[in-house]
Amino acid sequence: MAKILFGYDTERFEEPSVTIHFLHTMSQMHEEYHIPCTLFLVGKVIENNADDIRPLVDNPLFDLQQHSYSHRPFKTYVMDFRSVPDKELANIEWLQGRPKVIVHRGLTLEEIKEEVTKTQERLHDLLGIEHNRGLTCPFAYYLGLLDRPDITDLLYDLGIRFVRSWGRNYFGWQPTPFDVQPFFYEAHGHDDMLEIPIQGWHDVLWKSQHGWTNIEGYVAMLKECLQEVLENDYTWSFLAHDWSSIREDPEMSGIRAFIEYALEQEEITFMSHSAFYEQALAERTAQ
């Protein structure tokens, strides 16, 4: 059966008011439709908005995990636009005047340890969350962490058991193919550490390329993706962000329209990332 795992990267620590608006709108929507989701929280957001996040802690619809402390890439990634027509990139303001190949350098292992540990401390001290097992790696990468067993070793030692780190295609862009499905990092010696790839488009990148006010186009793209998911019984780790979900759409009407469409479909299950991890682990153990 096809599955949708709603995941919101909650990262706009520079603007606490954005987080407040997003949390209010998002939580009302998910409670209205009774659909679970996971919030991947940046540590600095927790510091700024602990009082606003705390009401979600004991609500079973909301799964609270982490997105590092200050949102810096764990792994070096490359965006290669040499084969992309200029017209497809013309609307992306932050790409204008930049080279066709862009390299973003990742952190050292010691820096990654600090990023994860500080966020775990914020989750515990400010929200009372004892055990943080889930992590979305900032920016996401092609191949996830398959080529970085040193990072998975570190994360495993810190108690992380599922990650969203594979979220780009071969060119370091979008969309990530849907046949990139969840897998355990057995090749790294971590039989109970799960990768939950982020397939399709990051909402930020699609809207940057196709227009922030193009809500109908965004919803149409999501509906098309859902058909592929349904036809193949895929698991879709759906990505949206706090700030981009409400930019030019303060009521989150785009995601609301997609949820209503998804609810009309048969043979689909909505799960949090933690619930999916538990299910995947149980199925693996039973084999």
Side-chain angles (χ1 to χ4, degrees), residues 47-58:
E47 290 176 344
N48 293 337
N49 294 94
D51 289 342
D52 307 296
I53 299 168
R54 199 170 291 115
L56 304 181
V57 172
D58 294 322

Side-chain angles (χ1 to χ4, degrees), residues 4 13 18 37 45 50 75-76 87-88 90 98 107 128 131 156 191 201 244 259 269 279 287:
I4 297 181
F13 59 84
V18 168
C37 66
V45 168
K75 168 184 162 179
T76 296
K87 64 180 181 179
E88 291 188 20
R98 302 185 71 176
L107 302 179
H131 303 291
Y156 194 88
D191 294 352
W201 281 90
S244 55
I259 286 176
T269 299
Q279 183 183 83
Q287 292 177 354

Side-chain angles (χ1 to χ4, degrees), residues 37-279:
C37 66
T38 304
L39 272 66
F40 293 93
L41 301 162
V42 163
K44 290 185 176 182
V45 168
I46 299 172
E47 290 176 344
N48 293 337
N49 294 94
D51 289 342
D52 307 296
I53 299 168
R54 199 170 291 115
L56 304 181
V57 172
D58 294 322
N59 189 322
L61 285 178
F62 303 102
D63 170 32
L64 305 185
Q65 303 297 332
Q66 76 151 288
H67 190 30
S68 83
Y69 178 72
S70 60
H71 200 263
R72 294 184 291 166
F74 288 5
K75 168 184 162 179
T76 296
Y77 67 98
V78 179
M79 295 190 294
D80 184 354
F81 297 109
R82 288 175 294 181
S83 63
V84 180
D86 289 340
K87 64 180 181 179
E88 291 188 20
L89 305 175
N91 292 330
I92 306 178
E93 296 179 0
W94 52 271
L95 281 180
Q96 304 315 304
R98 302 185 71 176
K100 284 284 191 174
V101 178
I102 302 171
V103 178
H104 296 269
R105 296 184 182 275
L107 302 179
T108 66
L109 290 178
E110 189 59 36
E111 289 172 325
I112 294 172
K113 181 178 181 180
E114 181 179 7
E115 287 279 318
V116 175
T117 302
K118 288 179 72 172
T119 309
Q120 289 175 327
E121 291 171 350
R122 301 309 183 269
L123 285 165
H124 177 270
D125 296 344
L126 298 178
L127 300 177
I129 296 174
E130 294 288 343
H131 303 291
N132 163 226
R133 298 182 301 171
L135 165 73
T136 289
C137 294
F139 298 98
Y141 327 110
Y142 175 62
L143 294 180
L145 298 175
L146 270 177
D147 56 349
R148 292 296 305 271
D150 54 336
I151 296 180
T152 60
D153 288 348
L154 171 63
L155 296 179
Y156 194 88
D157 288 343
L158 294 175
I160 299 299
R161 291 298 180 269
F162 65 89
V163 296
R164 293 197 309 171
S165 67
W166 190 329
R168 293 178 185 267
N169 61 20
Y170 177 80
F171 300 101
W173 193 240
Q174 301 285 297
T176 305
F178 276 93
D179 60 6
V180 180
Q181 287 290 290
F183 61 88
F184 285 97
Y185 278 99
E186 297 174 331
H188 294 184
H190 305 309
D191 294 352
D192 59 342
M193 185 176 187
L194 183 68
E195 172 69 48
I196 308 178
I198 306 165
Q199 307 96 338
W201 281 90
H202 298 194
D203 62 335
V204 173
L205 300 186
W206 191 94
K207 292 176 181 179
S208 294
Q209 183 167 324
H210 299 91
W212 288 94
T213 60
N214 186 9
I215 298 172
E216 289 187 5
Y218 177 62
V219 175
M221 178 273 294
L222 295 179
K223 290 180 178 180
E224 183 176 343
C225 290
L226 182 57
Q227 290 308 308
E228 181 177 355
V229 170
L230 290 168
E231 289 169 7
N232 295 278
D233 286 335
Y234 283 149
T235 294
W236 182 4
S237 180
F238 178 98
L239 172 64
H241 295 72
D242 50 358
W243 62 276
S244 55
S245 293
I246 63 175
R247 178 175 171 178
E248 303 296 341
D249 187 14
E251 300 305 315
M252 294 179 65
S253 63
I255 294 180
R256 177 179 286 273
F258 172 64
I259 286 176
E260 291 178 350
Y261 177 79
L263 285 170
E264 295 173 354
Q265 312 307 307
E266 298 180 356
E267 301 298 317
I268 191 164
T269 299
F270 301 92
M271 304 179 73
S272 71
H273 287 73
S274 286
F276 177 78
Y277 170 73
E278 293 292 347
Q279 183 183 83

